[in-house]
Amino acid sequence: MLSPQLHAVGFDAESLDQLVKAAFDAGVRGVDSAPGFDLVGSYSDPSGARLSFVKRTGQGVSTTGALAAETRYRAQVVRFTDLLARVALYGPESPGPLLAQFVALVDDPVAYPQHDLAPGGQYSVVEDLRVGALAIEVTVYDDAAAFEASPEAAPGGDLRIAADALISPSLLALQAAAIPPQEASPALLMGVEVTAVERRRNELTGAEFQYVTGRGAVEITCAVPAETPLEVGNVVHGTWYATCSSGIWD
């Protein structure tokens, strides 16, 4: 396993170099004229698994996993590094309501100009932002009641974590000026009730994973490793890797 986020979408290989070569041999769509970048590209597997590639002049290629998600939202996106953005999801009727806000990886950074995170700063509006999450370290519970009865729901003191939690630690740290933007992460603490699950085969590697639609703070499309058995009604709770896309690779 190269990394949990790659494993979640079945990108298992003996080495990252082998995986990248296989993706480029299979066909990578890219943009080679984005200011400041040598390459911004994506391999989109028929299974919905995705690899994102970014290269700056004089630097190596950054490779990350992502997901072709079915859940879509009207969103405000502030991309503040090459691949990270503050994402605010809204209901379908303008101007609100605000549904959720978190830090996510964007697999198509050329779709959003880079801005800083100053209050009142500029942002990009995306009418159909595809929103997904890759399982990093999660536990499966029979249902919401089983999670709420578990020790994980009450980690200490009066603090309780809801079965439908969606917490972005990096967003909280950025808002408190506790970390610089370069130290942010797309990790989420999130709970999702499974509403649909399908085993899919990553055609690039042959590895299986689970393509999940879930409902928590928002409806979201998720990828969960094949060895974590799931069924409709289960609650999957733990650490996830948030991914978003404007749809330019679809």
Side-chain angles (χ1 to χ4, degrees), residues 131-162:
V131 181
L134 313 182
I136 301 300
E137 186 174 353
V138 299
T139 302
V140 179
Y141 300 87
D142 287 343
D143 51 27
F147 171 77
E148 290 166 359
S150 72
E152 287 73 19
D158 294 330
L159 176 65
R160 289 198 63 85
I161 298 176

Side-chain angles (χ1 to χ4, degrees), residues 7-195:
H7 179 58
V9 278
F11 283 122
D12 297 329
E14 292 184 3
S15 70
L16 184 60
D17 287 345
Q18 181 188 71
L19 180 65
V20 171
K21 181 179 185 304
F24 275 83
D25 288 346
V28 169
R29 295 181 60 194
V31 177
D32 58 8
S33 59
F37 293 98
D38 284 348
L39 170 69
V40 175
S42 174
Y43 165 74
S44 295
D45 193 78
S47 65
R50 181 171 285 164
L51 283 174
S52 178
F53 304 100
V54 168
K55 185 181 185 304
R56 288 246 182 215
T57 302
Q59 300 179 9
V61 178
S62 174
T63 305
T64 58
L67 185 67
E70 295 178 356
T71 41
R72 303 182 182 190
Y73 292 90
R74 187 167 56 88
Q76 291 182 357
V77 179
V78 180
R79 181 173 67 84
F80 59 89
T81 71
D82 286 354
L83 287 169
L84 293 182
R86 185 187 70 202
V87 175
L89 307 182
Y90 290 86
E93 296 182 3
S94 182
L98 176 64
L99 303 176
Q101 190 169 203
F102 50 89
V103 173
L105 175 137
V106 288
D107 67 22
D108 51 356
V110 292
Y112 333 86
Q114 186 167 337
H115 298 298
D116 62 38
L117 292 169
Q122 294 180 301
Y123 53 82
S124 302
V125 175
V126 182
E127 292 298 330
D128 287 299
L129 188 72
R130 284 74 163 162
V131 181
L134 313 182
I136 301 300
E137 186 174 353
V138 299
T139 302
V140 179
Y141 300 87
D142 287 343
D143 51 27
F147 171 77
E148 290 166 359
S150 72
E152 287 73 19
D158 294 330
L159 176 65
R160 289 198 63 85
I161 298 176
D164 61 354
L166 194 163
I167 301 169
S168 174
S170 282
L171 178 59
L172 297 175
L174 288 167
Q175 290 174 334
I179 61 170
Q182 295 76 15
E183 293 183 9
S185 161
L188 299 177
L189 174 62
M190 184 172 71
V192 175
E193 180 183 354
V194 177
T195 56

Side-chain angles (χ1 to χ4, degrees), residues 205-220:
T205 65
E208 289 191 337
F209 68 99
Q210 295 172 101
Y211 191 89
V212 176
T213 302
R215 182 173 52 243
V218 293
E219 187 174 347
I220 192 166

